[in-house]
Amino acid sequence: MASDERVAGGDVVLAIDQGTSATKAVVVTDRGEISHRATVPIHQSYPQPGWAEQDPMEIWRSVQRAVADVLSEAHPRRVLAVGLSTQRESTLLWDRNTGQPLGPLLGWQDTRGAGLCAKLRTDGHADRIRETTGLPLDAMFSASKAAALLDRHDPDRSRSSRGELCLGTIDSWLLWQLDGRHLIETGNAARTQLLDISTCRWDPWLLDVFNVPLPALPQVTSSTGPFTTCRDLHPSLREVPVTGVLGDSHAALFAHAGWTGGRVKVTYGTGSSVMGVTTTEVKQAAGVARTIAWQLGEPTYALEGNIRSSGATLVWLARLLNSTPGELAGAAASDSQGVFIVPAFTGLGAPWWDDRARAVIVGLTDSTSREQLARAALESIAFQVEDVVAAVEHAGGSVRMILADGGPSTNATLMQLQADTSGRHVRTSPAAELSALGAAHVAGLGAGLWSIADLDRVSRTGADYRPNPADTSRHERLHDWHTAVTAARELPRQARNQP
């Protein structure tokens, strides 16, 4: 696959995937395939309901360690370029002069900005925010987190207005650590709810309503840069450039060759992201967000829905039942016997976008078993994914195939359940580190190592799951699931109305 235009002396790409629970590093050959890998776990803390925090310096150290580990088994002087894939929406604030973070990073699950979002909704700003950013007004996105950080550390906005403080997402933080430049990649910027996605520029009106000063924000740049070198990452990489940066879900879509129509990518993890490129202009998309997948020249737009709890539902249930997620998934019954779990622990994401919804279990009887609860937890993942896929299809055209990745996608029971629930073909990825692979592919493009045509020829054959043609109860199960979702959304309202 290697191009004649490659830079002399290098023929592999190093990619880093900085996620919520771990940082991964991979070396990708000039054939577009992973040859070496390393993983470093990182901690998360939940100091009170609705808060999710991480230590920015621990994240940076995990990146350095993952890179050192993977390069201990691969020749570092063969690295031509570096790519980054990062968790999105997570936001932090640091001092421009010292480079030190001002407090913890607020994770993407953090909803402490929900009060500001509610006020902006009451003030009638939700429609304009969605029209400009493509995103529903929700505390998951970075803008309300940025406001919360500034309210605590710069309440009068004096320091941030003078540019003494830096706001950024994880890609901004890592690029800053590499050589002190304050940058953000376009697709990540599109997830802040401060970017006008039609112009790829920070929007003055949005900055005003969220009270975020422009001098605190990074410079927006395309997915292939220009970025920076890896000066402070590893001694052998000081002159190696970063030539590709993507949000993690965007990177997974790219690794799936998701630029092809009629398919959506589903990344199964703590939460789940459902994303598909749209080739037509979509102004309104009920239940899902319009976003920028990547920018290689002109921006490529996508439709996406985010699910707040998918793999996390099994983690919760395992903790409740003194088990492990793997044990529960393996022990799941073949039928939940009418039990439904709606995992609205911090509200519901797409396509409902209801912060006030609360988790419920519907259909319990005195004979309900742990195996049936495990089945209901798996089904909650498949039902939520199908709701978002249906919304993407409604907004952007027919969806014939689901491209699955992430840890839970290795569970054959879940993948067959997804195919049966959706009535669509499901294909899994053979690579576990798909977001890192997508970042490597974009970095290779940026470095001239290969072309899109080359990447089209990369083997992506995983396991295939097709819906059972004898299954006639799919629509009935979806109807019962939606009844349970209604209960999750109405129960808090009914509680507030009690005398």
Side-chain angles (χ1 to χ4, degrees):
M1 174 189 292
S3 164
D4 293 335
E5 298 177 359
R6 80 168 68 170
V7 176
D11 62 352
V12 300
V13 175
L14 170 70
I16 301 153
D17 175 30
Q18 202 301 295
T20 308
S21 59
T23 296
K24 301 174 183 177
V26 302
V27 172
V28 176
T29 70
D30 64 353
R31 295 177 60 84
E33 301 166 348
I34 294 173
S35 64
H36 299 81
R37 49 179 55 83
T39 300
V40 176
I42 58 174
H43 298 95
Q44 306 159 72
S45 62
Y46 305 93
Q48 63 185 65
W51 289 26
E53 299 179 350
Q54 292 185 287
D55 179 350
M57 296 309 299
E58 182 192 4
I59 288 173
W60 170 236
R61 289 191 296 269
S62 75
V63 170
Q64 293 175 303
R65 180 180 160 193
V67 168
D69 287 352
V70 79
L71 291 184
S72 69
E73 299 181 2
H75 200 301
R77 299 199 180 279
R78 292 178 58 191
V79 176
L80 170 67
V82 170
L84 296 178
S85 159
T86 58
Q87 56 171 304
R88 307 171 303 161
E89 294 105 19
S90 301
T91 308
L92 71 155
L93 182 70
W94 66 94
D95 186 293
R96 188 180 295 271
N97 290 324
T98 67
Q100 290 301 305
L102 276 67
L105 171 136
L106 306 190
W108 61 269
Q109 311 105 312
D110 193 286
T111 59
R112 71 187 70 184
L116 174 58
C117 292
K119 180 181 183 301
L120 294 177
R121 198 174 291 114
T122 300
D123 291 345
H125 295 316
D127 288 345
R128 181 173 176 181
I129 289 172
R130 182 156 194 162
E131 180 180 348
T132 305
T133 68
L135 307 173
L137 180 54
D138 191 86
M140 185 183 78
F141 304 110
S142 307
S144 64
K145 304 181 202 299
L149 286 168
L150 290 171
D151 285 346
R152 178 166 184 177
H153 299 286
D154 187 31
D156 64 358
R157 304 308 194 256
S158 58
R159 296 191 66 197
S160 49
S161 294
R162 292 194 298 267
E164 296 174 7
L165 303 180
C166 295
L167 277 165
T169 46
I170 287 290
D171 62 318
S172 302
W173 173 240
L174 297 183
L175 291 168
W176 174 274
Q177 291 296 323
L178 291 176
D179 82 344
R181 296 181 65 197
H182 196 199
L183 305 171
I184 187 171
E185 181 267 336
T186 311
N188 279 290
R191 308 298 295 181
T192 64
Q193 203 150 63
L194 296 171
L195 192 82
D196 182 336
I197 63 169
S198 65
T199 65
C200 298
R201 296 177 180 172
W202 301 122
D203 183 84
W205 179 79
L206 290 169
L207 300 183
D208 182 60
V209 298
F210 283 103
N211 198 13
V212 175
L214 178 61
L217 291 174
Q219 176 186 339
V220 181
T221 190
S222 78
S223 302
T224 51
F227 293 112
T228 180
T229 61
C230 298
R231 187 185 68 190
D232 295 326
L233 179 59
H234 187 277
S236 299
L237 303 176
R238 292 181 64 85
E239 303 301 322
V240 176
V242 177
T243 57
V245 176
L246 293 175
D248 50 9
S249 284
H250 309 205
L253 179 64
F254 197 88
H256 276 297
W259 49 81
T260 304
R263 304 192 274 182
V264 298
K265 178 273 318 178
V266 180
T267 298
Y268 296 82
T270 303
S272 291
S273 162
V274 181
M275 179 184 285
V277 164
T278 176
T279 56
T280 58
E281 187 175 11
V282 177
K283 290 296 185 184
Q284 298 293 329
V288 292
R290 294 181 297 123
T291 197
I292 296 172
W294 47 76
Q295 185 180 11
L296 307 173
E298 293 299 314
T300 295
Y301 292 91
L303 297 172
E304 181 180 18
N306 298 96
I307 297 165
R308 294 181 179 176
S309 182
S310 49
T313 309
L314 276 170
V315 172
W316 164 80
L317 186 62
R319 186 171 66 246
L320 195 68
L321 299 179
N322 194 27
S323 182
T324 67
E327 287 175 356
L328 281 182
S334 60
D335 192 326
S336 67
Q337 294 295 319
V339 176
F340 294 88
I341 297 175
V342 182
F345 302 111
T346 59
L348 288 169
W352 316 107
W353 299 108
D354 188 346
D355 285 336
R356 294 172 293 181
R358 288 296 174 262
V360 299
I361 303 178
V362 175
L364 288 175
T365 69
D366 58 3
S367 63
T368 297
S369 66
R370 59 187 282 136
E371 291 77 17
Q372 288 160 1
L373 286 170
R375 177 72 179 194
L378 287 178
E379 288 180 346
S380 76
I381 301 173
F383 285 133
Q384 289 181 100
V385 167
E386 173 53 21
D387 284 346
V388 180
V389 172
V392 169
E393 183 173 61
H394 180 76
S398 175
V399 176
R400 300 181 299 277
M401 181 183 290
I402 292 173
L403 304 169
D405 62 86
S409 70
T410 61
N411 184 306
T413 300
L414 175 60
M415 291 299 96
Q416 186 59 55
L417 180 59
Q418 189 68 71
D420 292 339
T421 299
S422 297
R424 310 172 204 272
H425 180 186
V426 174
R427 173 172 293 167
T428 64
S429 167
E433 303 89 352
L434 204 65
S435 292
L437 186 61
H441 286 175
V442 171
L445 283 174
L449 183 61
W450 46 60
S451 66
I452 285 288
D454 292 327
L455 293 175
D456 265 329
R457 292 191 286 271
V458 172
S459 174
R460 297 178 175 86
T461 304
D464 282 301
Y465 299 87
R466 297 184 183 275
N468 180 359
D471 184 357
T472 60
S473 63
R474 181 172 76 88
H475 295 293
E476 181 181 346
R477 294 198 307 273
L478 281 167
H479 176 270
D480 292 343
W481 158 255
H482 290 146
T483 300
V485 169
T486 298
R489 301 182 69 193
E490 291 297 329
L491 190 62
R493 294 160 176 78
Q494 293 171 1
R496 285 194 297 272
N497 291 333
Q498 290 295 318

